[in-house]
Amino acid sequence: MTSKDLVLVAGGTGGVGQLVVGKLLEKGFKVRILTRNAAKAEEMFNQRVEIAVGDTRQSATLSAAMPDLSHIICCTGTTAFPSARWEFDPPLNLIEWGTAFVNPKSSEAKAKNSPARVDAQGVSNLVAAAPQNLKRFVFVSSCGILRKDQLPFSILNGFGVLDAKQKGEEAIISSGLPYTIIRPGRLIDGPYTSYDLNTLLKAKTGGKYGVVVGTGDRLSGDTSRIDVANACVECIVHPSSSEKIFELVNQGSRPPVIDWETLFSQLV
Ligand SMILES: NC(=O)c1ccc[n+]([C@@H]2O[C@H](COP(=O)([O-])OP(=O)(O)OC[C@H]3O[C@@H](n4cnc5c(N)ncnc54)[C@H](OP(=O)(O)O)[C@@H]3O)[C@@H](O)[C@H]2O)c1
């Protein structure tokens, strides 16, 4: 890292994104966040970051976020299943909400911020807008990309979230930019931004579990948002994580210090 390193966090107002921003500032990076909501970002980060207003679905809004960047960390996302975050336009009535859950194709067609728009098209747009001399593009993807025909991933992919994440991954890999792709399991610990059971129960790991990484999409389990954020930031300071795609879950007991260099180096 140099004093000139400036990291763009796309989705910096999200659960993982907020933690990424905090970790980057702690390590002395300059941070710019890409957000659709400047007021929310200003309140959240109290002038400690630069704010670029943009929407990954709209390529023309991204160029203003790109000058002088050294790295991009992309933590954008939406819900796997239809929700208000899909931004139905016009908003759905009660009957349409019912049919949205049984007919993935019709709900997708009416949604403005579905996984296909955010995780596939949005990520491709961000890749296309990225500076050619970028040091690293880090992407928060998901476990299950290569197991879409197996439970529970076949259910998770009912509305195409894993298909969309895979398209995002492919855009990054084929771009020629240096990259790291992190595939977490089901997110646990706050900030609680999902609409799932872990969020409902405010499930916590208590910081007791170790970090396990693997390749080939074979690991499953819960992953603390804190460790996803730690991995995003640690991988830009460890060259051994470049051009790596790995799952990240919490298992076993946590050592006093997580040795990220060893974790990244063991990935093949
Ligand atoms: N939940 C899980 O169990 C799970 C499992 C594996 C992987 N993941 C992935 O982990 C990542 C982080 O999850 P999270 O729960 O921390 O996410 P989150 O809280 O839902 O945050 C998503 C972020 O994406 C931004 N965003 C959404 N649409 C956008 C658009 N069109 N243009 C620009 N920004 C946009 C949101 O900003 P706004 O404030 O503007 O909406 C928000 O900052 C996501 O990529 C998610 O898919 C989640």
Side-chain angles (χ1 to χ4, degrees), residues 240-259:
S240 56
S241 67
S242 189
E243 322 306 307
K244 301 254 169 92
I245 303 174
F246 60 91
E247 306 97 76
L248 175 76
V249 296
N250 287 116
Q251 280 171 13
S253 54
R254 196 173 186 95
V257 177
I258 303 289
D259 182 352

PDB file of all heavy atoms in Angstrom, residues 240-259:
ATOM      1  N   SER A 240      -0.485 -12.409  -2.687  1.00  0.00           N
ATOM      2  CA  SER A 240      -0.769 -13.844  -2.889  1.00  0.00           C
ATOM      3  C   SER A 240      -2.254 -14.122  -3.134  1.00  0.00           C
ATOM      4  O   SER A 240      -2.611 -15.223  -3.544  1.00  0.00           O
ATOM      5  CB  SER A 240      -0.296 -14.642  -1.673  1.00  0.00           C
ATOM      6  OG  SER A 240      -0.911 -14.123  -0.503  1.00  0.00           O
ATOM      7  N   SER A 241      -3.119 -13.137  -2.889  1.00  0.00           N
ATOM      8  CA  SER A 241      -4.560 -13.361  -3.115  1.00  0.00           C
ATOM      9  C   SER A 241      -4.984 -12.981  -4.535  1.00  0.00           C
ATOM     10  O   SER A 241      -6.142 -13.168  -4.901  1.00  0.00           O
ATOM     11  CB  SER A 241      -5.383 -12.544  -2.112  1.00  0.00           C
ATOM     12  OG  SER A 241      -5.209 -11.167  -2.381  1.00  0.00           O
ATOM     13  N   SER A 242      -4.032 -12.474  -5.336  1.00  0.00           N
ATOM     14  CA  SER A 242      -4.400 -12.027  -6.675  1.00  0.00           C
ATOM     15  C   SER A 242      -4.745 -13.210  -7.573  1.00  0.00           C
ATOM     16  O   SER A 242      -4.107 -14.260  -7.503  1.00  0.00           O
ATOM     17  CB  SER A 242      -3.251 -11.208  -7.280  1.00  0.00           C
ATOM     18  OG  SER A 242      -3.684 -10.602  -8.471  1.00  0.00           O
ATOM     19  N   GLU A 243      -5.749 -13.041  -8.426  1.00  0.00           N
ATOM     20  CA  GLU A 243      -6.254 -14.066  -9.369  1.00  0.00           C
ATOM     21  C   GLU A 243      -6.746 -15.309  -8.610  1.00  0.00           C
ATOM     22  O   GLU A 243      -6.649 -16.415  -9.123  1.00  0.00           O
ATOM     23  CB  GLU A 243      -5.198 -14.487 -10.411  1.00  0.00           C
ATOM     24  CG  GLU A 243      -4.308 -13.391 -10.946  1.00  0.00           C
ATOM     25  CD  GLU A 243      -5.074 -12.204 -11.505  1.00  0.00           C
ATOM     26  OE1 GLU A 243      -5.949 -12.381 -12.357  1.00  0.00           O
ATOM     27  OE2 GLU A 243      -4.789 -11.102 -11.042  1.00  0.00           O
ATOM     28  N   LYS A 244      -7.262 -15.116  -7.419  1.00  0.00           N
ATOM     29  CA  LYS A 244      -7.786 -16.255  -6.645  1.00  0.00           C
ATOM     30  C   LYS A 244      -9.307 -16.103  -6.487  1.00  0.00           C
ATOM     31  O   LYS A 244      -9.825 -14.992  -6.323  1.00  0.00           O
ATOM     32  CB  LYS A 244      -7.142 -16.319  -5.260  1.00  0.00           C
ATOM     33  CG  LYS A 244      -5.608 -16.452  -5.314  1.00  0.00           C
ATOM     34  CD  LYS A 244      -5.155 -17.844  -4.961  1.00  0.00           C
ATOM     35  CE  LYS A 244      -3.683 -18.094  -5.247  1.00  0.00           C
ATOM     36  NZ  LYS A 244      -2.797 -17.842  -4.132  1.00  0.00           N
ATOM     37  N   ILE A 245      -9.976 -17.246  -6.508  1.00  0.00           N
ATOM     38  CA  ILE A 245     -11.426 -17.305  -6.287  1.00  0.00           C
ATOM     39  C   ILE A 245     -11.607 -18.295  -5.145  1.00  0.00           C
ATOM     40  O   ILE A 245     -11.165 -19.447  -5.258  1.00  0.00           O
ATOM     41  CB  ILE A 245     -12.156 -17.849  -7.537  1.00  0.00           C
ATOM     42  CG1 ILE A 245     -11.824 -16.996  -8.758  1.00  0.00           C
ATOM     43  CG2 ILE A 245     -13.665 -17.918  -7.299  1.00  0.00           C
ATOM     44  CD1 ILE A 245     -12.375 -17.544 -10.079  1.00  0.00           C
ATOM     45  N   PHE A 246     -12.200 -17.863  -4.047  1.00  0.00           N
ATOM     46  CA  PHE A 246     -12.266 -18.790  -2.905  1.00  0.00           C
ATOM     47  C   PHE A 246     -13.524 -18.626  -2.073  1.00  0.00           C
ATOM     48  O   PHE A 246     -14.088 -17.547  -1.987  1.00  0.00           O
ATOM     49  CB  PHE A 246     -11.015 -18.634  -2.017  1.00  0.00           C
ATOM     50  CG  PHE A 246     -10.810 -17.263  -1.439  1.00  0.00           C
ATOM     51  CD1 PHE A 246     -11.339 -16.917  -0.207  1.00  0.00           C
ATOM     52  CD2 PHE A 246     -10.068 -16.300  -2.124  1.00  0.00           C
ATOM     53  CE1 PHE A 246     -11.155 -15.657   0.324  1.00  0.00           C
ATOM     54  CE2 PHE A 246      -9.874 -15.030  -1.594  1.00  0.00           C
ATOM     55  CZ  PHE A 246     -10.417 -14.710  -0.365  1.00  0.00           C
ATOM     56  N   GLU A 247     -13.943 -19.752  -1.460  1.00  0.00           N
ATOM     57  CA  GLU A 247     -15.018 -19.723  -0.475  1.00  0.00           C
ATOM     58  C   GLU A 247     -14.430 -19.294   0.856  1.00  0.00           C
ATOM     59  O   GLU A 247     -13.236 -19.537   1.132  1.00  0.00           O
ATOM     60  CB  GLU A 247     -15.636 -21.104  -0.249  1.00  0.00           C
ATOM     61  CG  GLU A 247     -16.129 -21.809  -1.467  1.00  0.00           C
ATOM     62  CD  GLU A 247     -15.100 -22.796  -1.991  1.00  0.00           C
ATOM     63  OE1 GLU A 247     -14.931 -23.881  -1.410  1.00  0.00           O
ATOM     64  OE2 GLU A 247     -14.469 -22.452  -3.017  1.00  0.00           O
ATOM     65  N   LEU A 248     -15.293 -18.704   1.685  1.00  0.00           N
ATOM     66  CA  LEU A 248     -14.863 -18.219   2.999  1.00  0.00           C
ATOM     67  C   LEU A 248     -15.980 -18.539   3.987  1.00  0.00           C
ATOM     68  O   LEU A 248     -17.099 -18.047   3.835  1.00  0.00           O
ATOM     69  CB  LEU A 248     -14.661 -16.707   2.909  1.00  0.00           C
ATOM     70  CG  LEU A 248     -14.330 -15.945   4.178  1.00  0.00           C
ATOM     71  CD1 LEU A 248     -12.874 -16.160   4.559  1.00  0.00           C
ATOM     72  CD2 LEU A 248     -14.567 -14.459   3.976  1.00  0.00           C
ATOM     73  N   VAL A 249     -15.684 -19.393   4.978  1.00  0.00           N
ATOM     74  CA  VAL A 249     -16.684 -19.698   6.012  1.00  0.00           C
ATOM     75  C   VAL A 249     -16.009 -19.658   7.382  1.00  0.00           C
ATOM     76  O   VAL A 249     -14.782 -19.685   7.487  1.00  0.00           O
ATOM     77  CB  VAL A 249     -17.363 -21.087   5.793  1.00  0.00           C
ATOM     78  CG1 VAL A 249     -18.157 -21.117   4.508  1.00  0.00           C
ATOM     79  CG2 VAL A 249     -16.357 -22.207   5.845  1.00  0.00           C
ATOM     80  N   ASN A 250     -16.837 -19.582   8.411  1.00  0.00           N
ATOM     81  CA  ASN A 250     -16.327 -19.605   9.782  1.00  0.00           C
ATOM     82  C   ASN A 250     -16.529 -21.003  10.359  1.00  0.00           C
ATOM     83  O   ASN A 250     -17.642 -21.506  10.382  1.00  0.00           O
ATOM     84  CB  ASN A 250     -17.065 -18.587  10.661  1.00  0.00           C
ATOM     85  CG  ASN A 250     -16.666 -17.164  10.341  1.00  0.00           C
ATOM     86  OD1 ASN A 250     -17.474 -16.374   9.895  1.00  0.00           O
ATOM     87  ND2 ASN A 250     -15.407 -16.832  10.538  1.00  0.00           N
ATOM     88  N   GLN A 251     -15.433 -21.607  10.779  1.00  0.00           N
ATOM     89  CA  GLN A 251     -15.493 -22.951  11.373  1.00  0.00           C
ATOM     90  C   GLN A 251     -14.373 -23.087  12.393  1.00  0.00           C
ATOM     91  O   GLN A 251     -13.349 -22.403  12.271  1.00  0.00           O
ATOM     92  CB  GLN A 251     -15.249 -24.026  10.297  1.00  0.00           C
ATOM     93  CG  GLN A 251     -16.458 -24.340   9.442  1.00  0.00           C
ATOM     94  CD  GLN A 251     -16.111 -25.233   8.254  1.00  0.00           C
ATOM     95  OE1 GLN A 251     -15.027 -25.813   8.179  1.00  0.00           O
ATOM     96  NE2 GLN A 251     -17.033 -25.338   7.322  1.00  0.00           N
ATOM     97  N   GLY A 252     -14.536 -24.015  13.328  1.00  0.00           N
ATOM     98  CA  GLY A 252     -13.471 -24.301  14.298  1.00  0.00           C
ATOM     99  C   GLY A 252     -13.276 -23.146  15.261  1.00  0.00           C
ATOM    100  O   GLY A 252     -14.044 -22.187  15.274  1.00  0.00           O
ATOM    101  N   SER A 253     -12.225 -23.266  16.071  1.00  0.00           N
ATOM    102  CA  SER A 253     -12.031 -22.181  17.045  1.00  0.00           C
ATOM    103  C   SER A 253     -11.096 -21.123  16.467  1.00  0.00           C
ATOM    104  O   SER A 253     -10.236 -21.413  15.634  1.00  0.00           O
ATOM    105  CB  SER A 253     -11.497 -22.731  18.366  1.00  0.00           C
ATOM    106  OG  SER A 253     -10.355 -23.465  18.105  1.00  0.00           O
ATOM    107  N   ARG A 254     -11.283 -19.904  16.900  1.00  0.00           N
ATOM    108  CA  ARG A 254     -10.560 -18.779  16.316  1.00  0.00           C
ATOM    109  C   ARG A 254      -9.193 -18.616  16.974  1.00  0.00           C
ATOM    110  O   ARG A 254      -9.112 -18.512  18.213  1.00  0.00           O
ATOM    111  CB  ARG A 254     -11.382 -17.495  16.498  1.00  0.00           C
ATOM    112  CG  ARG A 254     -10.927 -16.347  15.616  1.00  0.00           C
ATOM    113  CD  ARG A 254     -11.895 -15.176  15.715  1.00  0.00           C
ATOM    114  NE  ARG A 254     -11.561 -14.124  14.780  1.00  0.00           N
ATOM    115  CZ  ARG A 254     -12.080 -13.977  13.572  1.00  0.00           C
ATOM    116  NH1 ARG A 254     -12.997 -14.818  13.139  1.00  0.00           N
ATOM    117  NH2 ARG A 254     -11.703 -12.987  12.788  1.00  0.00           N
ATOM    118  N   PRO A 255      -8.133 -18.570  16.176  1.00  0.00           N
ATOM    119  CA  PRO A 255      -6.815 -18.304  16.772  1.00  0.00           C
ATOM    120  C   PRO A 255      -6.734 -16.835  17.209  1.00  0.00           C
ATOM    121  O   PRO A 255      -7.545 -16.022  16.757  1.00  0.00           O
ATOM    122  CB  PRO A 255      -5.849 -18.578  15.619  1.00  0.00           C
ATOM    123  CG  PRO A 255      -6.649 -18.387  14.382  1.00  0.00           C
ATOM    124  CD  PRO A 255      -8.089 -18.680  14.726  1.00  0.00           C
ATOM    125  N   PRO A 256      -5.763 -16.479  18.054  1.00  0.00           N
ATOM    126  CA  PRO A 256      -5.667 -15.087  18.501  1.00  0.00           C
ATOM    127  C   PRO A 256      -5.521 -14.110  17.325  1.00  0.00           C
ATOM    128  O   PRO A 256      -6.044 -13.005  17.363  1.00  0.00           O
ATOM    129  CB  PRO A 256      -4.414 -15.068  19.378  1.00  0.00           C
ATOM    130  CG  PRO A 256      -4.143 -16.499  19.723  1.00  0.00           C
ATOM    131  CD  PRO A 256      -4.749 -17.358  18.672  1.00  0.00           C
ATOM    132  N   VAL A 257      -4.801 -14.541  16.276  1.00  0.00           N
ATOM    133  CA  VAL A 257      -4.619 -13.674  15.102  1.00  0.00           C
ATOM    134  C   VAL A 257      -4.895 -14.515  13.848  1.00  0.00           C
ATOM    135  O   VAL A 257      -4.421 -15.650  13.754  1.00  0.00           O
ATOM    136  CB  VAL A 257      -3.155 -13.140  15.039  1.00  0.00           C
ATOM    137  CG1 VAL A 257      -2.949 -12.306  13.777  1.00  0.00           C
ATOM    138  CG2 VAL A 257      -2.821 -12.346  16.281  1.00  0.00           C
ATOM    139  N   ILE A 258      -5.672 -13.967  12.909  1.00  0.00           N
ATOM    140  CA  ILE A 258      -5.921 -14.690  11.643  1.00  0.00           C
ATOM    141  C   ILE A 258      -4.729 -14.415  10.718  1.00  0.00           C
ATOM    142  O   ILE A 258      -4.406 -13.259  10.441  1.00  0.00           O
ATOM    143  CB  ILE A 258      -7.224 -14.210  10.959  1.00  0.00           C
ATOM    144  CG1 ILE A 258      -8.442 -14.369  11.889  1.00  0.00           C
ATOM    145  CG2 ILE A 258      -7.440 -14.918   9.629  1.00  0.00           C
ATOM    146  CD1 ILE A 258      -8.899 -15.779  12.148  1.00  0.00           C
ATOM    147  N   ASP A 259      -4.090 -15.489  10.255  1.00  0.00           N
ATOM    148  CA  ASP A 259      -2.917 -15.369   9.392  1.00  0.00           C
ATOM    149  C   ASP A 259      -3.388 -15.377   7.920  1.00  0.00           C
ATOM    150  O   ASP A 259      -3.416 -16.421   7.263  1.00  0.00           O
ATOM    151  CB  ASP A 259      -1.971 -16.549   9.681  1.00  0.00           C
ATOM    152  CG  ASP A 259      -0.700 -16.483   8.855  1.00  0.00           C
ATOM    153  OD1 ASP A 259      -0.611 -15.622   7.942  1.00  0.00           O
ATOM    154  OD2 ASP A 259       0.203 -17.303   9.105  1.00  0.00           O
TER     155      ASP A 259
END
